[in-house]
Amino acid sequence: LAAGSILMSKRMKVLQLVNSLHRSDGTFLPGYAVVSIKSKFLTGVTSNSDSVECKLSFDQLMDSYGDELSCPPVELDSVAQKELKVGKRIDKEGLILSVPNGGEPIISLRSSLIDTIRNEASSSDDFSIVCPSPSSNLFMGAYVRGYVARKDERFGSFVRFLNGLTGLIPKLKKGLDESLYETILCKVTALDITSSPPKILLKKVSESDISKKKRKIESRNKGSVSQRQIQVGDLIGDVKVTDINFARAKVQLIDKAFFGANIRARIHVTMAEPIAAKPKLSKQEKKAKDEHKIGKSHPFYSWKAGDVIKG
């Protein structure tokens, strides 16, 4: 039972509808449905019961609520009453959106998120669209799909992904133009993975924007060695570092075999605990490790943008 798991239709039975709460201080909490899923339909579940109860928030019933919602969105309750019936099974696919520690799993019925996660496994190029979680290897320029969870007049729109991972479309980048609870496609424009959770800045894009960029790059590389011709296990020779951080380095292939092509790649790294006895670290090295800085023990140590790494 993990965030990102897809549930087949008619596997969720509505047990109860709980109305939204609008507090006197202005705080609005969307209502939710308590739904039951039989344990036999779930993997990795250890329960004495034959079913697992989950929450389906009323802001997760569809990809877009259009112009139906006011501020605060008190109309969510009436929308839920049209879509859900106590005692009935939900005739839609579902998605486990998050699994809070000690709480019930949160379910979403957003079909765009479900399709995105289903397509992730069959696509792995720079133009793949993902719905990330805190454990994902995000990078600058990644395309991500989530939903507008909150709008703040001071900052912009906060976009939520799996297991609570959240990014921001800044106010200065027209973040406040987005509709609350709208499913949205974005590009990662800035990323700080040294903080926990990571800080993510986003820009709204469309699928046509991605297609145009992809066609432009394919046209530019036409007649030269293309990315599709590079196979796993190929020796790529020298590369030039164009950008670097703790988790990955962006490089450009400059070996003569790729002359005339503009092919870029990423080198990802995961720092694991040593199998043997842990080496003693100096105070400076320990601080660098804790702050996710590139220290002497890091594979990228001494690399910097502009360096040529010999293959």
Side-chain angles (χ1 to χ4, degrees):
L1 187 64
S5 300
I6 296 174
L7 304 167
M8 301 299 290
S9 63
K10 295 187 177 181
R11 297 287 169 85
M12 298 166 283
K13 184 177 181 180
V14 181
L15 301 182
Q16 181 184 3
L17 298 179
V18 179
N19 287 334
S20 304
L21 178 62
H22 188 198
R23 293 175 176 166
S24 57
D25 63 359
T27 303
F28 180 82
L29 301 176
Y32 60 90
V34 179
V35 300
S36 172
I37 306 171
K38 288 189 178 296
S39 299
K40 66 181 181 180
F41 297 137
L42 302 170
T43 57
V45 175
T46 55
S47 174
N48 295 326
S49 174
D50 64 349
S51 63
V52 175
E53 289 189 1
C54 304
K55 282 186 178 181
L56 170 59
S57 179
F58 293 168
D59 62 6
Q60 296 299 320
L61 301 179
M62 54 190 70
D63 278 313
S64 174
Y65 291 80
D67 299 324
E68 293 184 41
L69 304 182
S70 57
C71 185
V74 293
E75 297 84 1
L76 284 178
D77 290 350
S78 58
V79 172
Q81 289 169 7
K82 292 177 185 177
E83 295 288 326
L84 306 172
K85 302 295 179 185
V86 174
K88 300 291 185 180
R89 296 191 180 278
I90 300 173
D91 193 14
K92 290 182 180 180
E93 287 186 314
L95 169 72
I96 297 180
L97 190 65
S98 64
V99 184
N101 290 329
E104 294 110 335
I106 307 299
I107 304 295
S108 175
L109 301 182
R110 295 175 182 269
S111 58
S112 290
L113 295 187
I114 294 171
D115 290 341
T116 296
I117 289 172
R118 182 173 280 128
N119 293 334
E120 280 183 35
S122 59
S123 182
S124 59
D125 61 23
D126 285 349
F127 302 97
S128 300
I129 301 171
V130 300
C131 184
S133 71
S135 60
S136 298
N137 288 322
L138 266 186
F139 56 90
M140 283 272 293
Y143 294 103
V144 293
R145 181 170 274 128
Y147 69 95
V148 179
R150 182 166 66 91
K151 295 176 67 174
D152 191 310
E153 294 291 335
R154 298 167 297 173
F155 307 113
S157 289
F158 291 88
V159 180
R160 187 75 43 79
F161 306 103
L162 297 179
N163 258 351
L165 183 68
T166 304
L168 172 67
I169 304 177
K171 178 180 178 179
L172 293 176
K173 299 296 183 180
K174 300 183 179 181
L176 293 176
D177 292 350
E178 308 308 329
S179 299
L180 186 63
Y181 305 140
E182 189 89 3
T183 304
I184 189 170
L185 176 60
C186 298
K187 181 178 182 179
V188 177
T189 58
L191 178 65
D192 180 6
I193 62 169
T194 62
S195 61
S196 182
K199 296 176 182 177
I200 308 169
L201 292 185
L202 304 167
K203 174 187 176 183
K204 182 182 179 180
V205 296
S206 65
E207 297 211 25
S208 62
D209 292 333
I210 300 175
S211 297
K212 286 178 184 177
K213 186 170 183 180
K214 188 173 184 178
R215 287 196 300 269
K216 183 178 179 180
I217 291 177
E218 287 175 346
S219 175
R220 185 172 62 195
N221 290 339
K222 191 175 181 181
S224 61
V225 179
S226 70
Q227 188 172 343
R228 292 177 185 174
Q229 291 173 287
I230 302 174
Q231 304 296 323
V232 174
D234 285 353
L235 297 177
I236 59 174
D238 299 348
V239 297
K240 183 178 181 179
V241 179
T242 59
D243 187 49
I244 191 168
N245 65 28
F246 187 87
R248 61 101 185 100
K250 287 185 178 181
V251 298
Q252 183 176 8
L253 277 58
I254 60 174
D255 192 80
K256 62 181 181 181
F258 307 105
F259 180 77
N262 184 18
I263 302 178
R264 299 177 183 273
R266 289 187 301 274
I267 302 172
H268 289 272
V269 63
T270 300
M271 298 290 285
E273 292 295 330
I275 298 175
K278 294 183 179 180
K280 283 191 174 182
L281 300 177
S282 66
K283 288 184 179 180
Q284 188 175 1
E285 289 174 322
K286 189 176 185 302
K287 183 180 179 183
K289 181 181 177 183
D290 292 340
E291 294 177 356
H292 283 82
K293 291 183 179 178
I294 299 175
K296 290 183 179 180
S297 59
H298 197 288
F300 296 158
Y301 182 68
S302 79
W303 290 19
K304 62 181 183 296
D307 284 355
V308 173
I309 309 302
K310 295 293 183 180

